[in-house]
């Protein structure tokens, strides 16, 4: 991650950006995965047995987090990574509140 | 384990042994005394690719036959055999650490 | 195989290394115990065999025993009766009701009987909250200890499950990043370089094992993570969103209500004919029976089997508990087939490897062993490359301590089970104390010994001796000898004894095998100056 920070953002504040990226990849990605899981219970179709919306988000939760984590690590533009993950969190947060 | 699954594992394992035995990178990296006389592997690249695809064939056959549990056993056993073959062909018993 | 930009590859390498090294020690413990837990049933049968090996757990006499014991317990515990095959073929029968426990969480309370399947004699009676009953199940003590360590590292719920869930996520990330950082994955599948740089060889050994193990590392990590998070995070969140936090309501929706409530009394149908019917329908041996509302007009019986030969997703069979009529086949979740139920059902065989008997279990053990090897070698590779820093040198020692000390502790713990079996100490407690004692001794030895090579040899030799001694201590403490086991047809006892002897001999052999150069980790010299034994250690 250090090398990616240096390559894309210069040498001015790589440590701060590293922490910011760590924050996004770790706790924020986890929070977003949780919101996605909870939100999906509301917007996923329940299917013929009426349980798909309850079960699929729980089953896919580890994959959701891993995808968000790797995306947060690999996206060169940290701002865009925050925007994408933040949008996902916000949309599902709104779904949960409405 | 049914006979079909066992045969699938044996076929893939045998092909992996062949591939490992004639693996060009492995042969290149062996100590000088162990390299084949002419220094080149027996199989060409085309043959190696064909053998590589053939390794997968028994698993595909099990899947087509609908034996999904067989596919899992085959995949697990083939991966384990691949690792064992790599270690055995290495021939160096010295521990990692 | 994958051509990421150089920066991205470096990032992935950093993620791969840090995810492994930060959580690797705990992950290694989870994997090692998981490897042993694959054969949990066999370990139970080996440690606590019955006098006959060919006993059918759910044979004739089950219904008489059920009716007789139902009359011996408080009728409030007729809410549900669970019957399953226990250690050595014993029949466990748990009469219980669902209640809120002392900690405010939903649990069960009731009375459990342990029965001899041949004579239906009550071998043991346990009662109380489910956790207390579970702790008293002596015959399955060894496997339960291993499983608890694997599932939650003996950390109280829900924290233990959350920790192992995070470990699963770390393993998944390590597997994915391991795949993408290796550009020549297929070309290097057989490449183990010798005679050059020992660091390169160590890297090759790690990479080759990791490459062959990649698909299963991902599968085991994903499914393990699912099992850890499903009840601790997933279910409460879905309950909060859809059912105002009522987890019982989620469970009822997921499992479906079998029948409309009818509290009138009614005599219960016989279970044995239902078992015969299930055998005929599925071609598989039943291993779990759940009777709901025993003695009531709305009673149902649900029968589970081991996975039939050609299937990966389990189902159960539902019967009317009063008339004995077959009602329907039930998917793992819900009342009819669905993608969600199929995926959940698939998680079990993929994680436990029990879908094709001994063959699949053996393969899963081998893959688990490879996973432990990859984790261990990865941690050593990472720490040794940073050996010039005191912190990493200490970490190398910690890796040695856990890498070789943990298997030793796991092998010594069952001695406590056998020696203290007749006493009042729960098997989990006795094994836990011995396990921690061995870990503590290993830690002290690791700190005090200068040569890690010697430490490795000593740990391996001790593990070998402990493995060789296990069959002996089993027999001395009242277990059947080989001749007796052979005559009684208890094949598991013989098979596991032989496996232990082979493993013990192998460990002793490995302890005497030579090691590659540069095995001694730099040790703090006089005045705290690092003393490095070879240039290679610094790389």
């Amino acid at each position: 991650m250090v090398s990616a920070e240096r390559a894309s953002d210069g040498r001015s504040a790589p440590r701060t950006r590293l922490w910011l990226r760590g924050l996004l990849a770790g706790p924020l990605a986890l929070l977003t995965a949780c919101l996605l899981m909870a939100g999906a219970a509301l917007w996923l179709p329940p299917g013929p047995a009426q349980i798909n919306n309850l079960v699929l988000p729980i089953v896919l939760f580890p994959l959701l987090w891993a995808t968000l984590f790797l995306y947060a690590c690999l996206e060169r533009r940290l701002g865009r990574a925050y925007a994408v993950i933040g949008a996902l969190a916000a949309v599902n947060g709104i779904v949960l509140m409405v | 384990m049914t006979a079909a699954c066992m045969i699938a594992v044996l076929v893939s394992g045998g092909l992996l042994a062949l591939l490992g035995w004639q693996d060009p990178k492995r042969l290149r990296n062996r100590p000088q005394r162990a390299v084949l006389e002419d220094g080149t592997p027996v199989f060409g690249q085309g043959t190696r690719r064909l053998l590589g695809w053939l390794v997968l064939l028994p698993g595909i056959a099990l899947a087509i036959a609908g034996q999904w549990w067989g596919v899992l056993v085959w995949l697990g056993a083939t991966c384990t055999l691949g690792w064992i073959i790599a270690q055995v062909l290495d021939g160096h018993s010295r521990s990692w650490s | 195989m994958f051509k990421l930009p150089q920066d991205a590859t470096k990032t992935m390498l950093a993620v791969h290394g840090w995810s492994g090294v930060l959580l690797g020690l705990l992950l290694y413990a989870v994997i090692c115990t998981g490897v042993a837990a694959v054969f949990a049933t066999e370990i139970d049968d080996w440690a606590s065999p019955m006098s006959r090996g060919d006993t059918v757990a759910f044979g004739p006499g089950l219904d008489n025993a059920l009716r007789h014991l139902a009359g011996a317990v408080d009728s409030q515990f007729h809410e549900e009766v669970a019957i399953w095959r226990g250690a050595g073929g014993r029949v466990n029968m748990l009469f219980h009701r669902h209640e809120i426990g002392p900690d405010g969480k939903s649990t069960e309370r009731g009375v459990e009987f342990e029965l001899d399947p041949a004579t239906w004699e009550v071998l043991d009676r346990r009662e109380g909250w489910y956790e207390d009953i579970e702790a008293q199940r002596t015959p399955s003590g060894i496997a339960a200890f291993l499983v608890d360590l694997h599932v939650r590292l003996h950390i109280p719920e829900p924290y233990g499950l959350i920790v192992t869930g995070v470990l699963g996520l770390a393993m998944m990330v390590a597997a994915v990043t391991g795949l993408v950082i290796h550009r020549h994955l297929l070309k290097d599948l057989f490449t183990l370089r010798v005679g050059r740089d020992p660091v390169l060889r160590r890297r090759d050994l790690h990479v080759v094992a990791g490459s062959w193990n990649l698909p299963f590392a991902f599968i085991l990590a994903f499914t393990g993570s699912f099992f850890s998070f499903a009840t601790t995070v997933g279910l409460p969140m879905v309950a909060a969103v859809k059912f105002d936090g009522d987890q019982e309501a989620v469970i009822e929706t997921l499992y479906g209500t079998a029948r409309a409530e009818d509290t009138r009394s009614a005599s219960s149908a016989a279970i044995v004919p239902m078992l015969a019917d299930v055998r005929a329908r599925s071609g598989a041996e039943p291993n779990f029976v759940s009777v709901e509302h025993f003695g009531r007009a709305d009673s149902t019986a649900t029968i589970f089997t081991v996975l039939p030969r050609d299937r990966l997703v389990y189902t159960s069979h539902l019967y009317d508990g009063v008339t004995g009529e077959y009602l329907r086949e039930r998917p793992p979740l819900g009342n009819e087939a669905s993608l969600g139920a199929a995926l959940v059902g698939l998680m079990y065989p993929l994680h436990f490897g029990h879908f094709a008997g001994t063959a699949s279990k053996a393969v899963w053990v081998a893959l688990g062993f490879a996973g432990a090897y990859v984790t261990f070698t990865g941690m050593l590779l990472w720490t040794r490359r940073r050996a010039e820093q005191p912190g990493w040198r200490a970490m190398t020692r910690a890796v040695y301590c856990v890498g070789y000390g943990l298997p030793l502790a796991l092998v010594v713990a069952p001695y406590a089970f056998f020696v203290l079996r007749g006493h009042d100490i729960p098997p989990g407690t006795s094994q836990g104390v011995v396990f921690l004692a061995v870990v503590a001794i290993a830690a002290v030895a690791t700190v005090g010994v200068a040569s890690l090579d010697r430490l490795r040899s000593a740990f391996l030799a001790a593990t070998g001796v402990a493995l060789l001694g296990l069959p002996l201590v089993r027999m001395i403490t009242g277990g059947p000898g080989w001749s007796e086991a052979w005559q009684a047809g208890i094949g598991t006892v013989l098979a596991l004894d032989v496996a232990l002897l082979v493993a013990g001999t192998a460990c002793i052999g490995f302890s005497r095998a030579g090691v590659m150069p540069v095995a001694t980790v730099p040790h703090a010299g006089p005045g705290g100056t690092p003393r490095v034994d070879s240039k290679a250690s610094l790389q």
Side-chain angles (χ1 to χ4, degrees), chain B residues 25, chain C residues 1-3 181-189:
Chain B
K25 201 162 180 184
Chain C
M1 198 166 160
F2 290 92
K3 287 188 179 171
I181 59 178
H182 198 153
R183 290 195 175 191
H184 307 293
L185 188 109
L186 293 177
K187 281 184 183 170
D188 288 348
L189 277 173

Side-chain angles (χ1 to χ4, degrees), chain C residues 25 33 38 46 59 95 131 159 163 182 195 205 210 214 242 252 255 365 385 435 449 452 516:
Chain C
L25 292 178
T33 47
V38 170
W46 166 80
F95 294 84
E131 291 71 20
Y159 309 106
V163 169
H182 198 153
L205 285 165
L214 250 176
K242 291 282 286 185
E252 201 165 295
Y255 287 95
V365 163
R385 284 187 176 182
F435 175 82
V449 171
L452 290 181
M516 285 195 299

